[in-house]
Amino acid sequence: HRFEHLFQTISFWRGITPEEDEAIRQMKGRMERERVKPHESASNLKLGSGGLSDVEWIAQRLQLRYGRALHSVRTPSTLEALSALATVGLLDNAEVDILSAGYLLLSRVRNALWLLCGTGQDALPTNPTAQRTLSKLLGYGDLGEERSEERLLGSVHSYQKEIRSIFERRFMQG
């Protein structure tokens, strides 16, 4: 508890300046340009458009901006931070519902990929057999059901699109 208190004191003692806030936004844009190839943006669960990092950066930026005054938003958990940010009115409940559900789905898919591949894996598979195996592992259909992979990929891409829309509105513009 003492370490957590020390960490919070260091992290939130003065907030961030407008220049630092702009630098954070520029850093995120630069990471996207340099670490994800354009053709991989839709398939990268962590760094791609609407990926896990979009949710994390929204939460962390708002925490840095408002955590000095609003102690309730100071948490290392992304999901807890989203909920706390909604409670104080910095995100609306509909946004938090989408961000949280999308974050959980993308995390589940990413974790399942790690189990299937045996190593760190952030990209959705392109091989139909691997997609089908992944979808069944995640409960998107019985072994005999056709198109379970389409349901999974459709769900992932739908959440990524909604997450990215919120990200562009909440992170890139304000």
Side-chain angles (χ1 to χ4, degrees), residues 79-144:
L79 294 173
E80 289 175 17
L82 293 172
S83 178
L85 291 162
T87 298
V88 298
L90 293 171
L91 291 172
D92 67 45
N93 289 331
E95 290 173 322
V96 170
D97 289 346
I98 291 166
L99 294 171
S100 297
Y103 191 80
L104 288 170
L105 175 62
L106 296 175
S107 295
R108 283 185 64 227
V109 173
R110 186 173 182 235
N111 291 341
L113 282 170
W114 283 47
L115 289 173
L116 290 173
C117 300
T119 62
Q121 181 68 30
D122 289 332
L124 289 167
T126 56
N127 176 301
T129 302
Q131 290 174 347
R132 194 169 305 112
T133 302
L134 177 64
S135 69
K136 292 185 180 17
L137 177 64
L138 291 166
Y140 276 77
D142 297 329
L143 291 176

Side-chain angles (χ1 to χ4, degrees), residues 25-38 47 172:
R25 290 198 326 218
Q26 289 178 10
M27 183 188 324
K28 170 65 168 139
R30 187 172 145 218
M31 283 179 58
E32 287 182 6
R33 287 187 305 277
E34 293 178 4
R35 295 188 66 195
V36 180
K37 295 175 181 76
L47 300 176
M172 298 309 288

Side-chain angles (χ1 to χ4, degrees), residues 32-64:
E32 287 182 6
R33 287 187 305 277
E34 293 178 4
R35 295 188 66 195
V36 180
K37 295 175 181 76
H39 69 279
E40 294 175 348
S41 183
S43 66
N44 191 303
L45 299 167
K46 177 70 177 172
L47 300 176
S49 180
L52 294 164
S53 72
D54 282 3
V55 179
E56 293 163 351
W57 282 73
I58 291 168
Q60 292 167 9
R61 178 171 174 245
L62 290 171
Q63 287 176 297
L64 287 171

Side-chain angles (χ1 to χ4, degrees), residues 139-142 145-156:
Y140 276 77
D142 297 329
E145 184 178 338
E146 294 293 321
R147 300 195 171 150
S148 61
E149 64 276 14
E150 291 175 16
R151 289 181 39 231
L152 171 62
L153 296 176
S155 189
V156 166

